[in-house]
Amino acid sequence: MTIQIDKKEFELLLEYDQIEKNIRLIGIQINVAYEKRLPVFISVLNGSFMFAADLLKEIEIGCEISFVKLASYQGERQSEQIKNLIGLNMSLQDREVIILEDIVESGNTLKQVIELVKKEKPASVAVCTLLLKPAALQHDFDEIAYVGFEIENEFVVGYGLDYNGLGRNLKDIYRLKREIP
């Protein structure tokens, strides 16, 4: 199955059933790891909104959620300059924090989010990402604890991920197949 966004054709990479299954497994892992604790989930907007919503439905332990919004994309290229658009709205001091990301590519955005969170002096920081592109990483992270899927270094859209603001609403995840003349 293929879709078109602007002048780009995308092909199916991950069906929602696969995504849902892996999110369920991550939820079980977090429920076990944080049993009798009260973690704070920090969802990185905009891309992680679908992932965060589906994951939190699987979390059975007590928890809180907050949001940060950073911008690092212009079209399909990741910019070196990261802008913090919306900050934290709660204290994270002595809290167990789980950062929710839709995708970790270069790691520039994640590095900034981790630095922002660590300034708040949390008890611990873990990262949970739906997608990880190991070949694209420019930083090392000890904090990445939960990964839904490792994928190749390809441009993807759907399930919260976009191309120029389009495609976030797609249930499945698609990878760039070709440019359309």
Side-chain angles (χ1 to χ4, degrees):
M1 178 180 182
T2 63
I3 60 163
Q4 183 179 335
I5 299 176
D6 284 342
K7 293 188 177 196
K8 297 188 184 302
E9 184 178 2
F10 294 85
E11 64 184 357
L12 184 64
L13 176 64
L14 297 167
E15 291 182 340
Y16 181 69
D17 289 348
Q18 296 171 278
I19 296 167
E20 191 176 42
K21 178 183 174 190
N22 283 20
I23 289 173
R24 198 172 303 120
L25 293 172
I26 291 170
I28 291 167
Q29 293 173 328
I30 291 173
N31 286 328
V32 170
Y34 289 85
E35 186 179 17
K36 298 181 183 172
R37 299 193 279 179
L38 187 67
V40 176
F41 290 89
I42 304 294
S43 179
V44 182
L45 298 173
N46 286 341
S48 70
F49 77 100
M50 286 181 125
F51 175 50
D54 283 348
L55 178 63
L56 269 285
K57 292 173 193 171
E58 301 297 329
I59 301 302
E60 297 172 352
I61 58 172
C63 65
E64 293 181 74
I65 187 162
S66 188
F67 300 88
V68 293
K69 183 174 180 180
L70 297 105
S72 63
Y73 266 91
Q74 296 170 341
E76 65 181 80
R77 298 208 191 302
Q78 193 170 22
S79 169
E80 293 297 319
Q81 185 178 14
I82 311 258
K83 295 181 242 172
N84 183 0
L85 303 175
I86 301 172
L88 294 170
N89 62 0
M90 64 190 313
S91 172
L92 300 177
Q93 186 169 347
D94 300 323
R95 300 293 306 271
E96 311 226 27
V97 175
I98 302 171
I99 298 169
L100 300 179
E101 272 280 23
D102 55 343
I103 188 167
V104 176
E105 294 178 85
S106 68
N108 292 334
T109 301
L110 180 59
K111 184 175 185 235
Q112 183 167 332
V113 173
I114 289 172
E115 288 171 1
L116 178 69
V117 167
K118 286 188 173 180
K119 284 181 184 176
E120 297 287 316
K121 299 181 176 30
S124 68
V125 177
V127 173
C128 177
T129 184
L130 178 63
L131 303 174
L132 176 67
K133 291 184 180 180
L137 277 175
Q138 298 174 7
H139 307 277
D140 292 324
F141 296 102
D142 295 330
E143 295 88 356
I144 297 178
Y146 308 98
V147 176
F149 301 91
E150 285 190 10
I151 63 170
E152 299 296 320
N153 192 12
E154 301 172 301
F155 188 71
V156 292
V157 298
Y159 196 73
L161 300 143
D162 74 305
Y163 172 65
N164 286 337
L166 301 171
R168 287 192 196 281
N169 60 307
L170 299 169
K171 189 171 160 178
D172 304 314
I173 296 176
Y174 297 81
R175 67 175 155 217
L176 181 62
K177 182 176 180 182
R178 67 183 180 101
E179 303 280 335
I180 300 170

